[in-house]
Amino acid sequence: MRSLVFALTLVVWFIAFIPYIAASASTLLESPSRRRIPIALQGRQLTPNTTAPNSYGISPVSLSSDKQTYYVVLQAGQISFRAALDTGSSDLWLMSTDCSSKTCSSVPRYPLSYDSPTYVPVNNNATAFNVSYADGTGASGFVARETFEVANVTVANQAFGVVTASNVTMDDDVSGILGLGFARLSQIYYLAANATPFIGSLSERGILDYPIFGLSLTWNATGTLSIGAVDVSIVQNTSNIVWNEVVPFSPLGIQANTSGYFYWAIHMTSFAINNTVLTPIPTYPGPTDNSSIALLDVGTSGLYGPYQDVTRLFALFPGSRLVDTSGQWVVPCDSSAIMSFSFGEGNTFVLQPSDYLMGPVAGNTDLCLSWPKALPPSADGVDWQLGTPFLRTVYSIYSYGIDDEEPPMIGLYPRNNASAPVESYAALEAFFSAQSANIATTLPNYPLATPTYSTPAYAFNTSVAATFGEIVFSELATSTYVPIVGTQSINASALPKVSDAFTFVVTEANGAVITSTYHVSQPSVALGVPPGWSGAGMLGVPGLGIFWSLLLTLAMVICMF
């Protein structure tokens, strides 16, 4: 009997320590000298950079179940989290266990009771952080530093927001936001020394092969975020990338005495429905060089434009009408029109009806809600926000720019064929059915008047001029980079390349050759759980397995006597 109890005790203790043994092995494998190369990189026919083993990488991007958010899996310290991608903001933040609101407690949180070896407090966790978004939501907490890894690219001592209060609703266990914008748009950048946002940190420190990132977004399959390289599984010919200079802005108030870069925004030169082309009317023609500015924002799930443009656009749809004060229009679902946008020197990118129509109205399935929606004037002069309906039609590349060498640029690689005919109504109906796109709403049975708004004062300090295409002396990538994507000369073929696809070639005994191609997919990892913690660690209770093992051992000893 005592032998049996002793054997059971050993088994219980072995099971209790399995997570700790696994965590130790994981830590060993993740040491800098033995870092695992993602399987997506193992099979590509590209020469790795041996001097900087994490200078480029690729990560799968997934669409949340509510179809509002694209997210990646990142590591904060050695803890995995899902974070929403956002090119319209710059700060990186994660919900923490000090946030007990419903929006926080429903997702994995950064465990403050865990003593992460790479966590560095800022001002004894007393530097307050507060960020707000255009939809009225926000998050607050304090600033700290941690080692972050995204797409196999690692940056140490990265400043981030530790959220202790938030009303930002996240789905699919998404725990925070990975802002991919410029430093001047960041709240944290102004709160602590050396607190450059994530992409800026990688670029300023020269960690990347080249200071770029690229986004491939899809409806149903897994997309990609490439960092430091271009995803050549999408970009078959780099010479077909259309490059646009990012728009610089005058300083905001007294925050600086020089112009610089705030947004991933470019000049929109025209928009069209079928062959009818219209020129945008900028809200602030003086400060914006009489050009309309369009923000490319993966964090926005729609298309938005100013009333003076959106009203003219929908006038080209027979039977369209404004249906609510939020700037929403409906069009006949069978309108069969191609919508297009042009940038820079007239390069045109097209959207099929399945790209810009949200879906049929449940009460009247002959009418479809449509993008773009119209917005009141914005004091920053950004008239258009092109979110995921547009970004799914292109592969978008964001070149951060180089201090004193190269301005930031956005490259657009078209994924829709500009010369293809408009998709059939039958194909559109099949798409709506697959997406379960019927929208439960009631339309007014009377026409709505187009609202009018007063234009607020322009937000930026125009006494400091911002010159289109200007090269700035700081806040971009280190000048040790050699320019590839400059205003005067673009050598896109020299951009670093990575692929989300890897190929296995197997020769059978009979000589038959079998080729199989695979693509990266989201890793299956425990979210919010530090090394050595059980699943209960997500609630801030480390080592619960050891507690129960001790208790059970004590009970067995009592039974033996």
Side-chain angles (χ1 to χ4, degrees):
M1 178 66 180
R2 291 185 179 183
S3 298
L4 178 61
V5 171
F6 180 71
L8 287 173
T9 303
L10 289 177
V11 170
V12 169
W13 275 96
F14 176 75
I15 293 173
F17 273 97
I18 283 177
Y20 300 90
I21 297 168
S24 298
S26 175
T27 301
L28 176 63
L29 288 172
E30 291 293 337
S31 65
S33 62
R34 297 187 60 186
R35 183 176 303 280
R36 293 195 306 269
I37 300 175
I39 194 166
L41 303 185
Q42 291 175 7
R44 60 190 180 88
Q45 302 300 311
L46 296 171
T47 303
N49 184 319
T50 56
T51 60
N54 65 342
S55 57
Y56 53 72
I58 193 165
S59 174
V61 172
S62 295
L63 178 62
S64 62
S65 56
D66 66 356
K67 303 187 188 309
Q68 300 295 305
T69 300
Y70 283 93
Y71 65 84
V72 295
V73 173
L74 56 74
Q75 283 72 46
Q78 297 182 50
I79 312 172
S80 296
F81 294 97
R82 290 175 178 171
L85 296 174
D86 190 10
T87 50
S89 69
S90 298
D91 288 313
L92 165 58
W93 57 262
L94 293 171
M95 296 183 185
S96 77
T97 47
D98 273 12
C99 183
S100 56
S101 66
K102 182 178 180 180
T103 54
C104 287
S105 58
S106 62
V107 301
R109 293 168 289 171
Y110 185 88
L112 291 174
S113 56
Y114 171 66
D115 187 17
S116 170
T118 50
Y119 178 91
V120 179
V122 172
N123 192 26
N124 198 29
N125 294 341
T127 298
F129 153 76
N130 193 305
V131 64
S132 58
Y133 298 97
D135 62 359
T137 62
S140 61
F142 57 86
V143 179
R145 300 183 190 276
E146 181 60 279
T147 294
F148 281 86
E149 181 180 313
V150 181
N152 201 45
V153 176
T154 302
V155 58
N157 294 315
Q158 175 62 49
F160 77 112
V162 180
V163 169
T164 58
S166 173
N167 65 347
V168 179
T169 300
M170 300 289 191
D171 290 309
D172 294 9
D173 287 334
V174 173
S175 301
I177 290 179
L178 175 58
L180 298 169
F182 294 98
R184 290 197 177 195
L185 192 58
S186 166
Q187 299 289 325
I188 295 175
Y189 179 66
Y190 296 99
L191 296 174
N194 301 314
T196 305
F198 177 73
I199 289 294
S201 291
L202 296 173
S203 303
E204 283 186 359
R205 302 183 199 181
I207 294 174
L208 302 175
D209 263 20
Y210 198 72
I212 59 171
F213 65 94
L215 282 170
S216 166
L217 306 180
T218 64
W219 265 116
N220 299 315
T222 298
T224 62
L225 166 66
S226 59
I227 299 180
V230 173
D231 183 355
V232 292
S233 68
I234 304 296
V235 181
Q236 303 294 323
N237 186 347
T238 56
S239 65
N240 290 336
I241 301 171
V242 177
W243 293 98
N244 300 268
E245 294 177 10
V246 173
V247 176
F249 287 83
S250 300
L252 187 63
I254 58 173
Q255 89 180 178
N257 60 3
T258 60
S259 56
Y261 294 93
F262 278 81
Y263 302 113
W264 288 112
I266 57 179
H267 282 161
M268 179 190 292
T269 53
S270 67
F271 56 91
I273 299 299
N274 291 330
N275 295 320
T276 303
V277 180
L278 299 174
T279 300
I281 301 173
T283 302
Y284 300 91
T288 61
D289 296 325
N290 202 30
S291 298
S292 187
I293 297 174
L295 168 68
L296 273 61
D297 185 9
V298 67
T300 295
S301 59
L303 307 175
Y304 298 87
Y307 270 93
Q308 66 266 23
D309 289 346
V310 175
T311 301
R312 292 184 297 140
L313 182 149
F314 281 112
L316 300 176
F317 282 90
S320 67
R321 61 187 176 101
L322 179 67
V323 293
D324 68 30
T325 56
S326 71
Q328 178 68 66
W329 261 263
V330 294
V331 301
C333 295
D334 61 356
S335 292
S336 296
I338 287 179
M339 185 181 296
S340 62
F341 298 95
S342 297
F343 312 96
E345 298 180 358
N347 298 289
T348 299
F349 297 85
V350 301
L351 281 70
Q352 292 282 353
S354 58
D355 296 319
Y356 64 81
L357 294 180
M358 303 179 202
V361 176
N364 185 347
T365 55
D366 293 331
L367 294 176
C368 283
L369 298 186
S370 178
W371 300 112
K373 294 177 71 171
L375 291 178
S378 176
D380 58 9
V382 175
D383 282 335
W384 282 85
Q385 296 177 48
L386 302 182
T388 54
F390 173 78
L391 292 174
R392 278 190 288 265
T393 69
V394 297
Y395 180 78
S396 54
I397 306 164
Y398 306 80
S399 179
Y400 200 74
I402 302 171
D403 288 343
D404 204 22
E405 295 281 354
E406 182 179 276
M409 304 279 281
I410 292 179
L412 300 176
Y413 182 85
R415 304 181 74 169
N416 282 359
N417 184 350
S419 60
V422 65
E423 64 191 350
S424 68
Y425 183 50
L428 180 63
E429 287 185 308
F431 173 80
F432 286 152
S433 176
Q435 297 294 328
S436 302
N438 277 25
I439 300 170
T441 188
T442 301
L443 302 180
N445 56 8
Y446 55 90
L448 295 183
T450 302
T452 57
Y453 296 92
S454 59
T455 302
Y458 188 61
F460 294 96
N461 178 12
T462 55
S463 65
V464 179
T467 305
F468 187 61
E470 70 178 82
I471 295 174
V472 297
F473 299 99
S474 63
E475 300 180 349
L476 301 180
T478 172
S479 58
T480 57
Y481 285 109
V482 176
I484 295 177
V485 190
T487 304
Q488 303 300 321
S489 176
I490 295 176
N491 183 15
S493 62
L495 288 170
K497 300 171 180 64
V498 70
S499 176
D500 84 321
F502 59 101
T503 302
F504 289 118
V505 179
V506 178
T507 303
E508 300 280 335
N510 61 3
V513 177
I514 300 175
T515 302
S516 302
T517 301
Y518 300 86
H519 294 268
V520 295
S521 59
Q522 287 289 6
S524 178
V525 294
L527 300 172
V529 183
W533 284 27
S534 65
M538 295 175 66
L539 304 177
V541 188
L544 198 60
I546 289 182
F547 169 78
W548 287 110
S549 299
L550 286 170
L551 190 62
L552 184 57
T553 300
L554 179 61
M556 288 181 173
V557 170
I558 292 174
C559 290
M560 290 173 64
F561 295 99

